Amino acid sequence: DLFDGVSVEVFAERLVRVLSAIAVDVRLSEVEVLSEGERGRVLVGWNESGVVGVSGVVPMLFGEQVARTPDAPAVVGEGETLSYGELDVRASRLAGVLSERGVGAESVVGVLLERSVDVVVALLAVWKAGGAYLPVDPEAPAERVAWLLEDAGPVCVVTSAGLAGGLPDGVAVLVDEAADGGLVEPVRVEAGHAAYVIYTSGSTGRPKGVVVSHGALAGYVGWCVGAYPGVRESSLLHGSVSFDLGVTGLYAALVSGGCVFVSGLDEGLPGVLGGRRLGFLKVTPSHLPLLEGLPGECVPTGQLMVGGEALGWDAVRRWREAHPDVVVVNHYGPTEGTVGSAHYVIGEGDGSVGSVPIGRSFATTRTFVLDRFLEPVAPGVVGELYVAGVQLARGYLGRAGLTGERFVACPYGGPGERMYRTGDLVRWSVDGQLVFVGRADDQVKLRGYRIEPGEVEAVLAAHPAVDRAVVLVREDVPGDRRLVAYVVAGGQAVGGGDLRGLVAERLPQYMVPSAVVVLDGMPLTANGKVDRAALPAPEHATAGGRGPATVLEEL
């Protein structure tokens, strides 16, 4: 009832192989469970891909596209359109200002801007000056922004007049400061130079700056151009560039002649599109309800890529029933592997329970499912996912120890090759697809954002009235995942609302718990650990507000 004949035969063969191995003097960690054929499949065969990427770095590829189609629309925002030629000129003028400020190869330049056409100009300008950009979310708390700038030490920060007031004196470079400036010859960047630094949540209360090289970015972008033809037509930049979700559609479009629309996933999107259609769109699973509530012209005609967190089959099924002609791709990858490392194209009739597979690795990456001895596990067995290939980031900015801990020597590559330990638990299916199971640590993904609960706990524990804090994700209502904090107060009285305010002052909005529950004591298991299953469900309350005014708001 549980297994088919082939599976049982394979189990028997493995058992005989293990028994034969331990009949001699050998360590258990050295026992070979897999046959030679199985080992070849999980290490090599299931790591092959037929899609070939492009060569060169993204700034160079963008320059070549400018030469091919200078008059074609490159970026379209609300009331503003820039052709490839105009975008190149504006970026070059701003690059001249940055060069005068001392920006060069390996320099870090902050970019603190609202989502707009100016963001694209600023990112390209940093590259033209030879630097690496540090995207900073303008909606982040001032304390968080100050910490990022102190840790990364940018030469300057490209921003707008409205946002410059919150920055230290002498740091700001206004994005429109170079409107009448002269053009400069772009600095030639090499594959090994840093392209950008993006900060992710840190388990010790300290975020980590991931340094991605131009070579790694080019490998990923080149793959996307070949694998997702819709991006060559048009894509949408709808989120903050401080989250690498937007990298896929932005740069893959700009190196292949596509048009990038800049708008939120809201009622303003149809106006920005102006009757045109998106060829490619990337969202998180949490974005799907927003997209379902928009007019039909907002649905992509080519590929809909979903990434950032586990994708359930129910959400896919609803989408496919409403839009059967759109190709849906489940996209997986850590920031340390440059946005994406594997994907699964959902085929006709696909569907099951649980999560959609994350598929197989790209041509520029390789994926290994390994045990604690770094040996490959058998199909169906849960192991930790490791990623190798040209897309690996250089490491963490200024944190050599942590870099060495997570980016380790690859036993299945060439001399000096590294692989990244993702911390994700996965298994191979019988047909060679990776299936996500969970996290090896407590890290979670919520609405596409990677969150270390320890970072939130560290902020709560800093309050003088808090003795203990535990943060986790609850799903008390199916499909409604929320970050919830539990605290034990000491001798002082403290309210959950005050503690939420404390977190909101220091961390981004997506890391603020929806509720903070104050307890007399933490429930414990028999071995003295926090019994998370016994933590009470919170009472989510709202302070005022109004009812939905439109159908979209109601959805």
Side-chain angles (χ1 to χ4, degrees):
D1 290 340
L2 295 178
F3 307 105
D4 58 33
V6 174
S7 296
V8 174
E9 289 175 1
V10 171
F11 291 159
E13 291 172 1
R14 290 176 186 158
L15 178 57
V16 170
R17 192 176 302 116
V18 170
L19 293 175
S20 301
I22 64 174
V24 297
D25 188 11
V26 64
R27 292 179 179 272
L28 287 178
S29 61
E30 297 171 352
V31 173
E32 185 59 72
V33 177
L34 302 179
S35 68
E36 186 176 340
E38 288 177 319
R39 188 179 180 90
R41 280 196 296 275
V42 298
L43 292 179
V44 180
W46 289 344
N47 267 314
E48 294 179 344
S49 171
V51 178
V52 179
V54 296
S55 59
V57 294
V58 173
M60 180 195 76
L61 297 172
F62 170 71
E64 293 175 352
Q65 187 61 46
V66 171
R68 286 192 296 267
T69 58
D71 299 323
V75 186
V76 177
E78 188 173 350
E80 185 175 16
T81 299
L82 293 182
S83 68
Y84 272 85
E86 291 168 336
L87 175 60
D88 187 58
V89 167
R90 281 184 55 175
S92 295
R93 286 175 173 163
L94 180 56
V97 175
L98 295 177
S99 296
E100 293 174 357
R101 293 289 294 267
V103 176
E106 295 298 308
S107 297
V108 176
V109 178
V111 175
L112 176 66
L113 289 167
E114 302 282 355
R115 182 187 59 234
S116 63
V117 171
D118 284 339
V119 168
V120 183
V121 172
L123 301 182
L124 292 174
V126 173
W127 285 348
K128 284 177 175 288
Y133 66 79
L134 167 71
V136 182
D137 188 352
E139 296 185 2
E143 185 175 336
R144 173 86 169 194
V145 173
W147 189 96
L148 293 180
L149 298 182
E150 180 181 356
D151 189 69
V155 175
C156 55
V157 179
V158 180
T159 188
S160 62
L163 296 172
L167 295 173
D169 293 340
V171 170
V173 171
L174 300 185
V175 70
D176 55 0
E177 199 172 294
D180 301 320
L183 302 180
V184 296
E185 189 70 23
V187 174
R188 179 181 176 85
V189 295
E190 303 293 339
H193 287 162
Y196 60 78
V197 180
I198 283 187
Y199 276 77
T200 66
S201 181
S203 58
T204 61
R206 178 184 176 187
K208 309 181 291 286
V210 181
V211 183
V212 174
S213 70
H214 277 284
L217 178 62
Y220 174 71
V221 170
W223 156 268
C224 292
V225 170
Y228 315 122
V231 80
R232 304 175 216 160
E233 301 171 15
S234 58
S235 65
L236 178 68
L237 180 63
H238 60 85
S240 169
V241 293
S242 62
F243 180 38
D244 61 5
L245 182 82
V247 167
T248 310
L250 175 60
Y251 297 126
L254 291 180
V255 303
S256 61
C259 178
V260 178
F261 293 94
V262 182
S263 172
L265 283 173
D266 51 35
E267 296 159 317
L269 178 56
V272 174
L273 293 176
R276 293 161 291 190
R277 297 290 299 274
L278 294 170
F280 173 90
L281 177 61
K282 184 176 181 182
V283 297
T284 69
S286 300
H287 286 139
L288 288 176
L290 296 176
L291 189 57
E292 290 170 356
L294 293 175
E297 61 262 31
C298 299
V299 175
T301 59
Q303 296 84 39
L304 173 69
M305 178 184 288
V306 187
E309 57 188 347
L311 175 63
W313 278 112
D314 287 342
V316 172
R317 196 174 294 112
R318 290 197 309 271
W319 178 265
R320 293 295 298 273
E321 289 174 355
H323 310 285
D325 297 330
V326 178
V327 177
V328 181
V329 180
N330 192 23
H331 198 70
Y332 165 85
T335 299
E336 291 85 347
T338 310
V339 188
S341 304
H343 79 163
Y344 181 78
V345 180
I346 299 173
E348 192 71 29
D350 272 8
S352 183
V353 294
S355 297
V356 179
I358 59 177
R360 292 190 188 178
S361 57
F362 303 158
T364 48
T365 63
R366 286 176 295 144
T367 50
F368 307 111
V369 185
L370 308 178
D371 62 18
R372 64 192 180 97
F373 302 109
L374 300 186
E375 286 293 323
V377 300
V381 176
V382 175
E384 187 168 358
L385 181 60
Y386 288 76
V387 176
V390 300
Q391 286 183 206
L392 282 197
R394 289 191 348 198
Y396 299 112
L397 183 66
R399 303 185 69 179
L402 184 60
T403 298
E405 177 185 329
R406 304 298 296 188
F407 294 83
V408 298
C410 179
Y412 309 108
E417 186 171 352
R418 304 174 305 153
M419 60 182 183
Y420 172 67
R421 180 184 179 186
T422 67
D424 288 329
L425 300 178
V426 300
R427 60 178 173 82
W428 288 110
S429 66
V430 292
D431 59 346
Q433 304 295 334
L434 291 169
V435 179
F436 179 79
V437 176
R439 287 288 304 173
D441 51 27
D442 291 330
Q443 188 184 83
V444 296
K445 277 195 174 181
L446 191 62
R447 294 184 293 278
Y449 291 96
R450 186 170 68 172
I451 301 172
E452 291 277 6
E455 186 175 0
V456 186
E457 292 170 358
V459 172
L460 290 169
H463 193 285
V466 174
D467 285 346
R468 182 78 184 274
V470 171
V471 176
L472 49 79
V473 172
R474 296 188 65 104
E475 190 172 355
D476 297 300
V477 177
D480 183 17
R481 302 177 73 238
R482 298 192 182 201
L483 197 67
V484 179
Y486 297 87
V487 301
V488 175
Q492 306 177 42
V494 64
D498 295 334
L499 293 174
R500 285 190 77 245
L502 172 68
V503 177
E505 291 175 1
R506 302 187 181 182
L507 297 176
Q509 184 61 37
Y510 66 84
M511 298 180 72
V512 178
S514 62
V516 177
V517 181
V518 181
L519 303 174
D520 293 330
M522 290 287 179
L524 302 177
T525 61
N527 61 4
K529 295 184 178 180
V530 175
D531 187 355
R532 294 171 181 261
L535 291 169
E539 294 182 5
H540 296 284
T542 58
R546 61 169 175 79
T550 66
V551 174
L552 178 60
E553 288 185 355
E554 185 176 2
L555 290 171

